[in-house]
Amino acid sequence: MKKFLEKVVTGIITCSGFLTSLVILLIVVFLFSEGFGLFSQKTIEDGYALVVNKDNPVDELNSKQIKEIFDEDIKNWKEAGGKDVPVMLFRFDDMQKFFSEEELGANYENADKCINALVEKNPGIIAFVPKDYVTKDIAGKVLKDHKISGSEVFLGNEWFPTATPAAQFGFVPLILGTVWVTVFAILFALPFGMSVSIYMSEVASEKMRKILKPIIELLNGIPSVVYGFFGLIVIVPLLQDVFGLPVGESGLAGAIILAIMALPTIITVSQDAMLNCPRTMREASLALGATKWQTIYKVVMPYSISGITSAVVLGIGRAFGETMAVLMVTGNAAIIPLSITDPLRTIPATIAAELGEAPAGGPHYQSLFLLGIVLFFITLIINSSVEYISSKNK
């Protein structure tokens, strides 16, 4: 009977492990299939076309050029490789500005002819119209469309996934914002975390250690939204007054909040690593005439460097993946930060803020999954680093 129960328990554990591994694998497969689907999407919004005059030598525009033209940053075709002709913008919503209801028809049945005539008459026109109104005998020409490329995504410096006619999926501002706020968070957290961990492991009495350790570990249990609310009410107005900022929501506010959130991890792991230093090594150092602080600096910390490094990397992982607190205090500006006091946006905050509004299966939806893949690889690298560092000097 005992052997039978052991086999049953072993089978249950084996099945649980198999199912867990299978679920994780399916999640990863789903994440990759959705994310990489972005590269099969076209640059121009689905169901629409860009039409220019037949005499216009431009046959194709990239997404950045299209956006600059429709934002009127490019006002002459010469800037896009065409003739020295002013750009004339035309959207389908502008039909009633150019044509009367009689010309268009009650149900827009003459819209294709009107568009055709307008394109033929204006040499500098670029018309953003539904494909249904682009006939085969159109007087102009339809610009070639191309699929979204990896360079436009991973090297693009603008994130505007709802822009028309061509959405912008540049990841650079989001990746830089994530790295920027995380680096400063660790720079803030590391000195305080190491100081507290040294105090608790080498200086504090056993009674004080028993009081402080539960309090520090309790900080890990506070929801991130509470940290975000604290940052929004206290830290943001304080930074706005101290630095004279127009808006207090900034990368600096996010870095301070993330530093506070990373402190418990850094302190706990570092303290445990230092406490594992053999007592004989401490006593030998003191017996040779070293002071207590020399012993800490030259004996305890070198012995515990593997655990301390792991603590730092785990703190970085906590900061990289944080969502709600960063979303509340960083200003959510998808721009490349030039200063730590600039507003910025991180990858987790972008996914949390936009996934609910992105149409399922569309380019915006897929780009957010691709951001998840980027975050997945960053986290994988961080976790692999922890395993390597922890096992190196085991």
Side-chain angles (χ1 to χ4, degrees):
M1 185 66 179
K2 186 177 180 181
K3 290 183 178 180
F4 174 74
L5 289 175
E6 288 179 353
K7 288 184 178 180
V8 171
V9 172
T10 303
I12 292 173
I13 294 172
T14 303
C15 289
S16 299
F18 174 76
L19 289 175
T20 302
S21 302
L22 181 62
V23 169
I24 293 172
L25 179 63
L26 290 175
I27 290 173
V28 172
V29 170
F30 174 73
L31 180 67
F32 276 75
S33 63
E34 288 290 340
F36 283 102
L38 177 66
F39 300 118
S40 63
Q41 299 282 357
K42 295 294 185 71
T43 298
I44 301 171
E45 187 176 340
D46 189 34
Y48 285 82
L50 291 176
V51 183
V52 298
N53 187 276
K54 61 182 179 181
D55 295 327
N56 193 330
V58 176
D59 295 319
E60 185 176 1
L61 295 169
N62 59 42
S63 61
K64 185 176 181 180
Q65 288 175 318
I66 295 171
K67 185 178 183 301
E68 288 178 346
I69 287 174
F70 278 84
D71 286 347
E72 299 188 23
D73 294 328
I74 294 179
K75 298 183 178 181
N76 194 297
W77 280 105
K78 189 177 181 180
E79 300 174 55
K83 296 179 180 179
D84 188 8
V85 178
V87 175
M88 175 187 170
L89 300 177
F90 175 78
R91 297 176 183 267
F92 190 71
D93 295 339
D94 300 330
M95 290 291 288
Q96 293 185 352
K97 296 180 182 178
F98 291 87
F99 305 100
S100 63
E101 293 184 7
E102 291 78 12
E103 292 174 315
L104 291 171
N107 297 311
Y108 274 45
E109 59 268 16
N110 300 323
D112 55 341
K113 296 177 182 178
C114 294
I115 294 171
N116 197 14
L118 190 65
V119 170
E120 186 176 14
K121 185 172 63 174
N122 296 279
I125 193 170
I126 178 168
F128 176 54
V129 295
K131 288 182 178 179
D132 295 340
Y133 293 101
V134 179
T135 58
K136 293 181 180 179
D137 57 343
I138 189 168
K141 63 178 179 180
V142 179
L143 293 181
K144 295 177 184 177
D145 198 1
H146 64 277
K147 293 181 180 178
I148 297 170
S149 65
S151 60
E152 290 175 335
V153 173
F154 295 110
L155 300 179
N157 57 8
E158 187 170 4
W159 173 262
F160 194 176
T162 57
T164 55
Q168 306 297 303
F169 298 107
F171 282 5
V172 172
L174 306 180
I175 294 174
L176 288 180
T178 306
V179 172
W180 194 245
V181 75
T182 302
V183 167
F184 276 92
I186 295 303
L187 289 177
F188 295 154
L190 188 56
F192 291 102
M194 290 305 304
S195 300
V196 175
S197 60
I198 290 171
Y199 170 76
M200 290 183 63
S201 63
E202 305 298 323
V203 179
S205 63
E206 187 66 26
K207 183 178 180 181
M208 180 61 69
R209 194 179 300 156
K210 288 181 178 180
I211 295 173
L212 289 178
K213 192 171 177 64
I215 295 174
I216 292 171
E217 291 178 346
L218 182 64
L219 293 174
N220 268 328
I222 298 175
S224 60
V225 69
V226 176
Y227 283 108
F229 184 72
F230 168 76
L232 196 62
I233 300 300
V234 178
I235 294 177
V236 167
L238 181 63
L239 294 178
Q240 190 172 3
D241 293 337
V242 171
F243 292 97
L245 303 174
V247 179
E249 288 88 350
S250 61
L252 181 57
I256 292 173
I257 289 297
L258 287 181
I260 296 172
M261 297 178 71
L263 275 175
T265 301
I266 295 175
I267 293 171
T268 302
V269 178
S270 298
Q271 181 198 357
D272 292 341
M274 291 180 188
L275 288 175
N276 286 330
C277 180
R279 183 178 178 181
T280 53
M281 294 184 66
R282 292 184 175 89
E283 292 175 346
S285 175
L286 294 171
L288 290 172
T291 65
K292 187 170 187 177
W293 291 107
Q294 286 175 326
T295 301
I296 294 171
Y297 176 68
K298 294 186 176 182
V299 177
V300 177
M301 292 190 69
Y303 181 87
S304 311
I305 192 64
S306 176
I308 293 170
T309 309
S310 299
V312 174
V313 178
L314 285 170
I316 293 173
R318 174 73 191 270
F320 249 111
E322 185 50 51
T323 304
M324 283 308 301
V326 178
L327 180 65
M328 295 172 71
V329 301
T330 54
N332 280 323
I335 57 175
I336 296 176
L338 301 177
S339 168
I340 190 60
T341 55
D342 289 343
L344 51 80
R345 180 184 285 191
T346 64
I347 292 176
T350 301
I351 296 172
E354 298 183 9
L355 188 60
E357 300 176 358
H364 187 188
Y365 180 83
Q366 292 171 331
S367 68
L368 295 175
F369 273 88
L370 190 59
L371 279 174
I373 292 174
V374 173
L375 195 63
F376 170 81
F377 276 111
I378 293 173
T379 307
L380 182 64
I381 291 170
I382 292 172
N383 290 341
S384 300
S385 301
V386 173
E387 293 294 330
Y388 174 76
I389 293 167
S390 299
S391 61
K392 188 176 180 181
N393 298 319
K394 203 166 185 179

